[in-house]
């Protein structure tokens, strides 16, 4: 067993909001089955070039740290930075950041279909590094903590959210009508608006609590 | 000109960069090789390719699996992209151009990409048509580029059935063109029946074959240098 505390410290010092180690062995397709630990990394910043660069830098640090120990690593880059034109790109879709985040106890899948962290809400950007290093794992979150709240479901302008409750025991449950969300996105693009409406992020009470807190800290 | 120790250090860096799938190390190593005025061909073969040989060994020993192989190949390309413009045309008795792609209806191209790597390293002109390529496009591209070699890949039986049409059309117009087919459903028998000149089974086998061929090129080159 390898102590993961130094890795977490390193990444947090470099700007990560959250770092967790998850045992993901049950969620892996055959091609990547040997990489049974997921290092979930999140940054709490708006989705822009800077945060993507920060996330990629953090991934790079994690890779180096793992390589130094003599283990394998496979970085799954942030969803908004799926570098194309590389051979490994094709394998990225075999793994989803949500798996690593829930398995490492950093959040649950909310009714909005996004990872919700109890402190930061659902506005985090995620990246994952898979590895075969026997890192000490964190405790997984197995159930949704959304409770009866249905704000995102009610406010979604495309009616894309089903309002179901997530549980780790039923990971394949469909939470979102993705085609409806996509249709709204392309509609918005036609009218020269930003494609993401982001209402499901901003309306979430956990996200609002987090923003309030950070605003207070700024003042 | 750099001294031998420095040269060895740079080649070692390229080699390890490929083995540890460290793209940045490969890029750095390649740039250092250029800056030190080393022979680009030598850097490719004694650095990058030597690393890929070791990767092939690790793969056979089941220490490396498909994701590692792909990342190693990406690292090799990162170095190759920098070194290639500085390469002199190699004279290994094999040179020329190749048209390669995955046939219509099929989007699986891992094996194709690994085979392509071999041609890239060997200094071929590679015309990569990508995946899900309309059958006529192969014929068109072959005529346009006058390539000596065409490689067709498919992973699904349903898309493989398009292969004989392409082979027939190309051979009809250009009997001297060599055609290789590859992918899980292909076999030696099918290759013979359809008049293809060679075949490779799947990504793993394509990879083994590709690395073997690259290693063979390296040997050829070493022997030539000795003379």
């Amino acid at each position: 067993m390898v102590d993961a505390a130094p890795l977490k410290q390193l990444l947090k010092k470099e700007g990560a909001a959250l770092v967790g180690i998850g045992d993901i062995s049950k969620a892996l397709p055959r091609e990547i089955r040997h990489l049974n630990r997921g290092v979930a990394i999140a940054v709490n910043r708006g989705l822009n070039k800077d945060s993507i660069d920060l996330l990629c830098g953090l991934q790079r640090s994690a890779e180096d740290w793992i390589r130094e120990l003599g283990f394998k690593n496979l970085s799954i880059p942030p969803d908004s930075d799926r570098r194309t034109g590389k051979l490994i790109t094709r394998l990225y879709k075999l793994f989803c950041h949500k798996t690593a985040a829930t398995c490492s106890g950093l959040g649950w899948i909310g009714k909005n279909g996004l990872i919700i962290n109890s402190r930061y809400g659902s506005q985090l950007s995620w990246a994952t590094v898979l590895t075969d290093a026997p890192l000490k794992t964190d405790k997984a979150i197995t159930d949704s903590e959304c409770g009866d709240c249905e704000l995102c479901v009610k406010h979604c302008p495309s009616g894309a959210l089903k309002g179901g409750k997530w549980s780790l025991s039923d990971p394949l449950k469909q939470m979102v009508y993705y085609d409806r969300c996509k249709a709204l996105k392309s509609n918005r693009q036609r009218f020269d608006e930003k494609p993401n409406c982001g209402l499901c992020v901003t309306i979430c009470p956990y996200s609002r609590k987090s923003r309030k807190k950070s605003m207070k800290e700024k003042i | 000109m750099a001294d031998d120790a420095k040269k060895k250090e740079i080649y070692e860096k390229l080699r390890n960069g490929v083995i540890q799938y460290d793209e940045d190390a490969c890029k750095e190593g390649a740039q250092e090789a250029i800056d030190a005025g080393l022979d680009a061909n030598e850097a490719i073969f004694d650095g990058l390719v030597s690393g890929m040989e070791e990767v092939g060994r690790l793969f056979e020993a089941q220490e490396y699996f498909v994701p590692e192989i792909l990342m190693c190949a990406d690292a090799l390309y990162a170095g190759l992209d920098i070194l290639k413009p500085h390469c002199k045309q190699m004279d290994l008795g094999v040179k020329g151009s190749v048209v390669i792609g995955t046939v219509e209806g099929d989007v699986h191209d891992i094996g194709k990409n690994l085979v392509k790597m071999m041609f890239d390293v060997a200094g071929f002109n590679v015309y990569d048509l990508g995946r899900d390529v309309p059958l006529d496009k192969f014929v068109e591209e072959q005529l346009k580029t006058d390539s000596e070699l065409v490689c067709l890949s498919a992973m699904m039986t349903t898309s493989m059935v398009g292969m004989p049409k392409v082979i027939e059309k190309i051979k009809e117009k250009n009997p001297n063109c060599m055609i290789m087919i590859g992918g899980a459903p292909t076999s030696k028998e099918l290759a013979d029946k359809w008049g293809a000149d060679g075949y490779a089974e799947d990504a793993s086998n394509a990879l083994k074959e590709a690395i073997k061929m690259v290693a063979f090129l390296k040997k050829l080159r070493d022997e030539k240098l000795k003379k």
Side-chain angles (χ1 to χ4, degrees):
Chain A
M1 204 63 105
V2 177
D3 183 16
L7 174 62
K8 289 185 185 173
Q9 260 164 22
L10 172 78
L11 296 182
K12 283 194 177 156
K13 210 177 91 194
E14 289 180 10
L18 297 167
V19 184
I21 317 290
D23 175 0
I24 49 167
S25 46
K26 287 197 189 98
L28 294 174
R30 190 170 55 91
E31 288 87 341
I32 51 175
R33 187 160 292 163
H34 57 296
L35 304 164
N36 59 1
R37 292 282 192 275
V39 183
I41 308 168
V43 298
N44 179 29
R45 301 223 301 222
L47 191 58
N48 53 40
K49 179 93 183 28
D50 284 354
S51 16
I52 300 293
D53 287 349
L54 175 64
L55 263 180
C56 292
L58 291 168
Q59 262 189 323
R60 173 82 215 180
S61 302
E63 278 171 30
D64 288 344
W65 191 86
I66 292 165
R67 188 179 283 131
E68 196 77 358
L69 291 178
F71 291 101
K72 295 183 186 131
N73 63 77
L74 166 58
S75 280
I76 310 286
D79 286 342
S80 32
D81 182 45
R82 293 277 151 115
R83 281 156 281 181
T84 49
K86 282 197 188 163
L87 300 178
I88 191 68
T89 316
R90 207 54 54 66
L91 292 190
Y92 289 158
K93 62 168 183 268
L94 292 179
F95 189 81
C96 144
H97 298 303
K98 286 169 189 165
T99 311
T102 51
C103 287
S104 55
L106 294 181
W108 66 91
I109 313 293
K111 287 177 187 163
N112 54 10
L114 302 168
I115 303 160
I116 302 186
N117 173 270
S118 55
R119 179 168 161 208
Y120 293 102
S122 41
Q123 60 199 1
L124 297 162
S125 304
W126 295 86
T128 309
V129 181
L130 307 179
T131 179
D132 64 343
L135 298 169
K136 197 168 172 303
T137 52
D138 298 304
K139 198 167 168 293
I141 289 187
T142 54
D143 287 292
S144 168
E145 287 172 35
C146 283
D148 293 332
C149 172
E150 286 207 321
L151 280 173
C152 56
V153 181
K154 279 182 195 144
H155 284 82
C156 175
S158 59
L161 305 180
K162 291 186 168 180
K165 239 187 186 175
W166 169 85
S167 152
L168 194 59
S169 58
D170 184 14
L172 295 178
K173 184 174 182 177
Q174 186 103 34
M175 313 279 295
V176 180
Y177 297 106
Y178 285 103
D179 47 338
R180 293 191 192 171
C181 181
K182 264 193 201 135
L184 181 79
K185 274 188 196 182
S186 47
N187 245 340
R188 283 170 67 90
Q189 242 157 356
R190 262 204 320 206
F191 290 102
D192 279 342
E193 289 182 76
K194 276 189 193 169
N196 292 324
C197 80
L199 256 178
C200 53
V201 177
T202 42
I203 200 115
C204 175
Y206 286 101
S207 312
R208 282 192 290 176
K209 205 172 69 190
S210 153
R211 262 201 312 280
K212 230 184 240 168
K213 212 164 127 196
S214 62
M215 252 154 46
K216 260 186 204 154
E217 274 164 19
K218 260 184 206 161
I219 298 164
Chain B
M1 205 40 137
D3 55 63
D4 273 0
K6 174 84 179 155
K7 190 159 120 183
K8 217 175 152 198
E9 188 196 309
I10 294 176
Y11 291 168
E12 195 62 18
K13 188 168 193 177
L14 288 169
R15 181 182 143 88
N16 283 333
V18 172
I19 298 172
Q20 304 188 329
Y21 41 92
D22 187 338
E23 282 184 35
D24 293 355
C26 279
K27 279 185 202 156
E28 264 170 42
Q31 197 53 53
E32 279 168 29
I34 305 276
D35 294 345
L38 298 176
D39 178 42
N41 286 327
E42 200 175 300
I44 291 176
F45 279 92
D46 292 349
L48 298 173
V49 171
S50 147
M52 208 60 200
E53 276 182 281
E54 173 64 10
V55 172
R57 199 194 62 74
L58 288 166
F59 184 68
E60 297 235 21
Q62 301 207 323
E63 281 179 49
Y64 271 19
F65 301 95
V66 171
E68 285 84 29
I69 301 287
L70 294 179
M71 289 188 282
C72 291
D74 280 330
L76 179 137
Y77 268 116
L80 195 60
D81 284 344
I82 297 175
L83 290 169
K84 205 138 196 209
H86 300 268
C87 272
K88 292 179 216 96
Q89 186 64 45
M90 272 186 289
D91 184 18
L92 296 170
V94 281
K95 58 182 164 190
S97 54
V98 53
V99 173
I100 189 168
T102 304
V103 295
E104 197 170 31
D106 215 322
V107 294
H108 305 88
D109 61 355
I110 289 178
K112 182 217 72 182
N113 287 340
L114 290 170
V115 172
K116 177 180 166 231
M117 173 183 75
M118 171 199 89
F119 289 117
D120 275 330
V121 169
F124 273 69
N125 274 330
V126 184
Y127 302 97
D128 183 7
L129 302 180
R131 47 188 182 145
D132 196 8
V133 180
L135 300 176
D136 286 338
K137 180 94 181 130
F138 285 100
V139 186
E140 244 170 62
E141 191 77 11
Q142 195 280 329
L143 285 176
K144 203 170 80 193
T145 59
D146 198 27
S147 302
E148 292 87 345
L149 193 58
V150 175
C151 295
L152 308 170
S153 163
M155 200 192 113
M156 299 185 301
T157 320
T158 46
S159 46
M160 177 186 72
V161 294
M163 285 179 171
K165 289 176 206 148
V166 182
I167 300 173
E168 194 187 327
K169 273 190 193 162
I170 294 178
K171 290 272 180 188
E172 190 188 293
K173 289 187 177 140
N174 207 340
N176 289 330
C177 178
M178 301 268 276
I179 299 175
M180 289 177 71
I181 59 173
T186 60
S187 67
K188 173 103 185 32
E189 288 74 40
L190 281 177
D192 289 345
K193 192 176 149 202
W194 292 341
D197 302 282
Y199 106 101
E201 204 170 87
D202 53 27
S204 314
N205 279 299
L207 172 85
K208 273 186 218 157
E209 293 304 317
I211 290 175
K212 255 190 229 157
M213 287 166 93
V214 172
F216 181 69
L217 281 173
K218 183 164 179 273
K219 216 174 99 199
L220 260 182
R221 183 172 179 277
D222 291 346
E223 275 168 12
K224 232 181 184 127
L225 287 178
K226 261 185 223 148
K227 271 179 208 165

